[in-house]
Structure formats: structure tokens, C-alpha cells
């Protein structure tokens, strides 16, 4: 099938990754579920996914032969190959027995198809884990049953939650090496649920597994764990929901202005939210000029509608000054515009995020100069948010962003495409941090991510307000909290 034929076969909003490579398997959802595996070092992430691929018959004969050959001298006591080699493809990964880069694999069951991202556990590869989480619907967090929850467990759970993932599977691995201890499993599950709740995640499924023996991965381990009556890992994955994360109106970040001739002017980009059709009213930001949609064009046809994910050329009914980096949005559901925002960051550079330093902020096709001021950092050992003016590498914190020019964002909770960004060092051009917008900050330092009509008002005494604003919940939802009245000064 040619690329032209493939594009014509796609439904609106699909891309090539959304097409099921096995259409003969009926009854499966159209888009594969995307999930990640994460956790600390040596918790068995690659082995678990390798076992999942093996037991779901996703390993072809030639791959199986290569795996057996590469596993020479590495077979386990069951005589099975080293399943981690199905994911660890880099020479350094195989030599050191660790995961460095993100490994993406496709597999399917009779009910569903999946894309899994196996992410590294080492702290120095946190940026790779964040990359894998950015497009996932669900996170599988692995914990060694003998070691319990570690700092890296909390870090990965926090990053996954920051990336908008609201479905967690806690896979308590190596349960066989802990004598299938039910009490130990339950204690780990309870402790993790408390962490998840503090992150705003309520959907947690805890499963005792042995990736090496394949217990509770695809097949149940009833013989050795009669006390566990919950689902297997694959059963949870088959029933998981896909996140939409798109509650905004139409968004088109302009990537290019097309002028093939005097009689045509179009604005090209990929729809980042909502839908559009000819006749709809739109606004061009940051200029605020309004217009109507005249036509929607792709490279081979004229469309009567476009939805999230479609690459289109938008033609308006009047000449409008639009440049690369501008945004065309629904006239009645506009994004936030301003020069001051608050955001959450994951610091990825060895130098961290330096207070008061100006960086390049890149969001979609728009690049702007921004001054960054860290205000708090998550203490991974306690789960508390502490005041901070500097974010070290792998630090997770809240920052204030001050732009030289008008910036255009949605909050990340409502649109991850238009609410995410990266910071770039203007000197080295290295990526310094990945961030998610919480909300717009007013001149008084308060945030305004939601219209007043969508807010509820609660009155608190100044002493309670001050204590509430210092809690983890308040800091993590800073973009949704609006403080007014005489208590405001005390809440600062």
C-alpha cells in the first residue's frame, strides 16, 4: 500500500501508529493502548515486558531463534531465554544489564493491541522516562517485592502523573523471591496508593507478579498465590481506557504560511485540539483578529472537517496577518494569553534550572525568551513541597515564567499539546527541562487557569489559608486556585 493510499485509508484524527497492523483480529479497539513500564533499577521492567511479548506470542520465530542464541549462558533455572534482551537492544544495555534508551514494542491479544515503552530506571536517564510517559495512557510501575518503594518509584510516579497519566498498575515483581508473602505485598500496595492519591491518581491496580516465571503476567499464579484473586497484568491492560486530555476548543499552532500563488493563502499545521469545519469562526492569537474558515485543504483533497491530529492547511475568508508560531483557535474557547505563567518542571540538565536565567522556551512551533524563577521543589523522600530557588538535575518543581512577548498556552490538564514545553539553554542549545503549564499568573502573582464560572468559592480564616497553600495538594494544583480578599497577603 502506498503512502497516498494509506493516508486515504485513515480516518480523521488517525496517524500511521494508530493503524492496527493486524486488521484480521476483529473486535479490537481502533487505536492501540499506549503504556509505559517504569520504576527503579533492576526491578525487572525489561524482563516483564519481554515475558509479556513471549507469552502473547508476539515474538516471531526468527526473533525467538536470535533470542535463544543471544541468551547462551544466560538461561534461568527454568531453561528459558533472557527475556530482557527483547527490549535491551543497545550494546551498552546488554553489557551492563540496564535500560538506557526507551524501547518501543507493539503486541496484541485477541481483544486489543498495544504499544509499550520500556523506560530506563537509572536517575541519569530520567529524561528518557519522561519522554516515554508523555504519550502514554497508562503507567506500569514496577517494585521489587524485597526492597519495597524507593525514591525512584516516587519520582517516576510523580512524572507520570505530571504528564497526565491517571491509570497506574503497581506490579510488585520478584514476589517469588519473597516467598509469595501476602502481607509484604499488601503493605507495599497500601503505601503506594497513598502516594498515588497525593498525586491525584485514584485508579491504581496492584498485582503481585513474577516476571521471570510468568506468574500473573498473562497466566495466573493461583498455585503459588491462592490469596490473590485480582486480574493479571494483561487483563488490566485489555480493560484500560485511553486518555483523551482534550477538553479545549479548536487549536492550530501555525507552522507555515503557504503562498503558492497570488490567489491562495493558507495556514499550515497539525490540529492540536478540538475540531473545525468550513464556516466556523476563529481567532488568530496573539493579534486577536477574527475570521471565518473558508476551506480545509490537505495535500490531496479538500476536507469538510478536521479533528485533533490532522495535518491541514486552513484557508480563511479574509486576508489576515499570520506568522509561524501564531495560533488559530476557536473564537468561543480561547487559550490563555499573557506574559506571566506558572508551570511544573522536570530538570533534565546537569546544571539544573538556574534562578533568574533567561532560556528559550519552545512550545510547538513557537519559541520565546523567558525568565524562569523556581519557587518550590518536591522532596522525594517525604513527598512534601519545599520552598526552593534552584532546581537540580532530575528535580521536580514549580516555577514562575516571565516572557518578553505575549505567550499562548492552555493548562496541561486541559490540553497536553498546547500546555507542554521544553526549556533550551541559549548558549549550549541543550534541553534544560520539560514543563507543563499550570495557569496564567496575574500581576499580583496569583493564577488564573479557569474562568470564574467554573470555580467554587470557599472562605477560610487567614491562618488556615496560609497552612492550606503550603500543602502538597495546593502546590500541585496552583494553577486552579484563585485567592482573593484580605487573606491574600497572608497566603503569600
Amino acid at each position: 500500500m502506498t503512502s497516498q493510499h494509506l493516508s486515504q485509508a485513515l480516518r480523521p484524527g488517525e496517524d500511521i501508529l494508530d493503524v492496527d497492523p493486524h486488521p484480521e483480529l476483529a473486535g479490537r479497539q481502533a487505536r492501540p493502548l499506549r503504556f509505559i513500564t517504569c520504576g527503579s533499577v533492576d526491578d525487572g521492567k525489561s524482563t516483564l515486558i519481554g515475558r509479556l511479548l513471549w507469552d502473547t506470542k508476539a515474538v516471531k520465530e526468527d526473533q525467538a531463534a536470535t533470542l535463544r542464541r543471544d541468551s547462551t549462558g544466560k538461561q534461568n533455572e527454568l531453561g528459558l531465554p533472557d527475556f530482557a534482551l527483547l527490549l535491551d537492544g543497545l550494546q551498552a544495555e546488554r553489557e551492563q544489564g540496564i535500560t538506557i534508551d526507551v524501547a518501543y514494542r507493539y503486541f496484541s491479544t485477541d481483544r486489543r493491541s498495544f504499544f509499550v515503552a520500556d523506560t530506563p530506571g537509572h536517575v541519569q536517564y530520567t529524561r528518557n522516562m519522561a519522554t516515554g510517559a508523555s504519550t502514554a495512557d497508562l503507567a506500569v510501575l514496577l517494585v521489587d517485592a524485597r526492597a519495597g518503594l524507593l525514591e525512584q518509584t516516587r519520582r517516576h510516579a510523580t512524572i507520570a502523573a505530571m504528564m497526565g497519566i491517571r491509570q497506574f498498575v503497581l506490579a510488585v515483581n520478584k514476589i517469588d523471591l519473597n516467598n509469595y508473602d501476602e502481607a509484604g505485598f499488601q503493605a507495599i500496595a497500601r503505601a503506594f496508593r497513598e502516594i498515588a492519591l497525593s498525586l491525584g491518581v485514584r485508579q491504581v491496580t496492584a498485582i503481585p507478579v513474577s516476571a521471570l516465571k510468568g506468574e500473573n503476567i498473562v497466566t495466573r499464579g493461583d498455585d503459588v498465590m491462592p490469596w490473590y484473586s485480582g486480574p493479571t497484568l494483561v487483563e488490566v491492560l485489555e480493560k484500560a481506557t485511553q486518555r483523551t486530555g482534550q477538553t479545549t476548543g479548536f487549536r492550530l499552532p501555525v507552522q507555515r504560511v503557504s503562498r503558492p500563488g497570488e490567489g491562495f493563502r493558507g495556514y499550515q499545521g497539525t490540529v492540536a485540539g478540538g475540531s473545525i469545519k468550513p464556516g466556523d469562526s476563529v481567532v488568530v492569537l496573539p493579534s486577536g483578529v477574527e475570521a471565518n474558515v473558508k476551506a480545509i485543504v490537505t495535500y490531496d483533497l479538500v476536507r469538510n472537517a478536521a479533528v485533533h491530529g490532522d495535518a491541514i492547511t486552513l484557508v480563511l475568508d479574509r486576508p489576515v496577518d499570520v506568522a509561524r508560531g501564531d495560533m488559530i483557535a476557536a473564537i468561543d474557547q480561547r487559550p490563555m494569553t499573557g506574559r506571566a505563567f506558572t508551570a511544573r518542571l522536570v530538570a533534565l540538565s546537569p546544571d539544573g534550572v538556574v534562578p533568574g536565567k533567561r532560556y528559550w522556551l519552545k512550545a510547538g512551533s513557537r519559541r520565546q525568551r523567558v525568565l524562569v524563577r523556581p519557587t518550590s521543589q518536591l522532596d522525594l523522600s517525604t513527598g512534601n513541597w519545599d520552598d526552593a530557588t534552584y532546581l537540580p538535575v532530575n528535580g521536580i518543581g514549580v516555577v514562575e515564567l516571565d516572557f518578553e512577548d505575549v505567550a499562548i498556552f492552555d493548562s496541561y490538564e486541559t490540553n497536553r499539546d498546547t500546555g507542554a514545553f521544553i526549556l533550551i539553554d541559549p548558549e549550549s542549545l541543550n534541553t534544560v527541562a520539560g514543563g507543563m503549564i499550570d495557569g496564567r499568573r496575574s500581576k499580583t502573582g496569583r493564577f488564573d487557569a479557569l474562568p470564574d464560572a467554573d470555580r467554587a468559592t470557599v472562605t477560610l480564616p487567614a491562618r488556615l489559608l496560609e497552612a492550606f497553600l503550603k500543602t502538597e495538594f495546593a502546590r500541585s494544583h496552583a494553577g486552579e486556585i484563585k485567592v482573593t480578599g484580605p487573606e491574600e497577603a497572608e497566603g503569600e
Side-chain angles (χ1 to χ4, degrees):
M1 179 180 287
T2 66
S3 60
Q4 180 176 357
H5 291 154
L6 178 60
S7 68
Q8 293 173 345
L10 298 182
R11 291 189 293 273
E14 288 184 332
D15 56 31
I16 291 177
L17 288 180
D18 289 335
V19 179
D20 190 347
H22 301 283
E24 70 277 5
L25 295 177
R28 195 180 304 138
Q29 297 191 19
R31 180 172 81 77
L33 181 82
R34 292 178 168 93
F35 71 97
I36 62 166
T37 56
C38 51
S40 192
V41 181
D42 294 330
D43 282 347
K45 296 179 294 298
S46 296
T47 299
L48 180 141
I49 296 304
R51 183 82 204 210
L52 188 58
L53 297 175
W54 185 272
D55 288 352
T56 56
K57 314 300 181 185
V59 181
K60 306 301 181 184
E61 287 299 325
D62 56 338
Q63 292 176 305
T66 301
L67 178 64
R68 292 189 179 96
R69 182 197 66 204
D70 293 346
S71 297
T72 301
K74 298 181 180 180
Q75 285 87 353
N76 57 48
E77 64 270 20
L78 302 177
L80 295 172
D82 184 358
F83 295 122
L85 297 180
L86 288 171
L87 282 300
D88 294 338
L90 299 178
Q91 182 177 353
E93 293 178 322
R94 294 189 172 209
E95 290 175 349
Q96 301 177 54
I98 63 172
T99 299
I100 296 175
D101 200 1
V102 182
Y104 294 91
R105 294 292 184 271
Y106 171 89
F107 70 98
S108 63
T109 66
D110 291 339
R111 296 184 177 182
R112 201 168 195 178
S113 56
F114 306 90
F115 277 112
V116 55
D118 182 36
T119 64
H122 282 67
V123 175
Q124 60 263 44
Y125 303 123
T126 296
R127 63 192 304 158
N128 294 347
M129 180 269 159
T131 299
S134 64
T135 59
D137 302 302
L138 177 147
V140 178
L141 290 105
L142 272 80
V143 174
D144 189 321
R146 300 164 298 175
L149 303 180
L150 303 175
E151 180 178 289
Q152 193 71 334
T153 310
R154 187 186 291 272
R155 175 179 285 109
H156 282 188
T158 301
I159 293 174
M162 287 174 63
M163 293 294 180
I165 298 176
R166 292 295 178 265
Q167 299 173 96
F168 284 1
V169 175
L170 179 69
V172 183
N173 193 25
K174 304 183 182 181
I175 193 74
D176 54 313
L177 300 181
N178 204 34
N179 296 319
Y180 300 101
D181 180 24
E182 178 184 7
F185 164 75
Q186 296 293 353
I188 293 173
R190 282 194 301 270
F192 182 79
R193 285 193 173 95
E194 291 181 4
I195 294 175
L197 283 174
S198 72
L199 298 172
V201 177
R202 292 174 174 78
Q203 190 171 342
V204 178
T205 304
I207 307 174
V209 303
S210 171
L212 185 66
K213 297 183 177 181
E215 294 162 344
N216 286 337
I217 306 296
V218 175
T219 58
R220 301 191 59 83
D222 292 337
D223 293 342
V224 291
M225 289 176 279
W227 46 265
Y228 177 73
S229 59
T232 63
L233 175 60
V234 76
E235 288 172 345
V236 174
L237 296 176
E238 287 178 337
K239 295 178 181 179
T241 58
Q242 296 167 347
R243 69 174 185 179
T244 58
Q246 304 295 333
T247 59
T248 55
F250 175 70
R251 303 284 186 267
L252 182 73
V254 177
Q255 299 175 0
R256 181 173 179 267
V257 179
S258 176
R259 289 294 305 277
E262 288 296 326
F264 184 91
R265 179 193 294 266
Y267 310 106
Q268 298 178 333
T270 300
V271 180
S275 61
I276 195 73
K277 64 183 184 301
D280 286 352
S281 298
V282 295
V283 60
V284 179
L285 298 172
S287 68
V289 176
E290 300 177 1
N292 295 320
V293 176
K294 181 179 179 181
I296 302 169
V297 183
T298 62
Y299 78 98
D300 61 346
L301 52 86
V302 176
R303 301 274 292 272
N304 58 11
V307 298
H308 179 257
D310 287 348
I312 62 171
T313 299
L314 204 64
V315 181
L316 303 181
D317 65 346
R318 68 198 70 175
V320 177
D321 183 13
V322 182
R324 174 180 168 85
D326 290 352
M327 183 181 292
I328 301 176
I331 197 169
D332 57 346
Q333 289 182 285
R334 305 186 184 200
M336 299 178 290
T337 58
R339 299 193 180 192
F341 289 82
T342 181
R344 291 159 292 158
L345 283 186
V346 180
L348 305 173
S349 167
D351 296 330
V353 177
V354 180
K357 182 174 181 177
R358 293 191 179 275
Y359 296 97
W360 284 113
L361 183 146
K362 190 175 188 305
S365 57
R366 192 175 183 87
R367 192 179 73 164
Q368 296 177 272
R369 296 274 289 184
V370 65
L371 183 69
V372 182
R373 295 188 182 90
T375 59
S376 63
Q377 180 182 353
L378 176 65
D379 185 335
L380 292 168
S381 61
T382 64
N384 296 326
W385 289 86
D386 301 328
D387 293 339
T389 58
Y390 166 75
L391 282 184
V393 62
N394 297 320
I396 299 170
V398 175
V399 300
E400 295 178 351
L401 305 174
D402 289 302
F403 292 86
E404 295 179 354
D405 302 311
V406 175
I408 309 166
F409 292 108
D410 289 294
S411 67
Y412 188 81
E413 286 293 325
T414 59
N415 191 318
R416 60 181 177 177
D417 291 335
T418 55
F421 63 89
I422 60 172
L423 293 181
I424 301 172
D425 190 311
E427 299 171 1
S428 65
L429 300 183
N430 291 330
T431 300
V432 173
M436 285 69 65
I437 291 293
D438 278 336
R440 182 173 50 203
R441 202 174 79 253
S442 69
K443 293 182 180 179
T444 60
R446 292 302 174 193
F447 312 122
D448 188 21
L450 295 172
D452 289 341
D454 292 336
R455 295 181 183 273
T457 301
V458 177
T459 302
L460 294 175
R463 59 183 179 81
L464 294 182
L465 176 62
E466 183 178 4
F468 171 72
L469 291 176
K470 291 181 179 179
T471 64
E472 178 183 351
F473 178 86
R475 290 183 183 274
S476 63
H477 291 77
E480 302 173 60
I481 298 172
K482 182 177 181 181
V483 179
T484 58
E487 298 91 345
E488 183 168 352
E490 307 233 12
E492 294 282 355

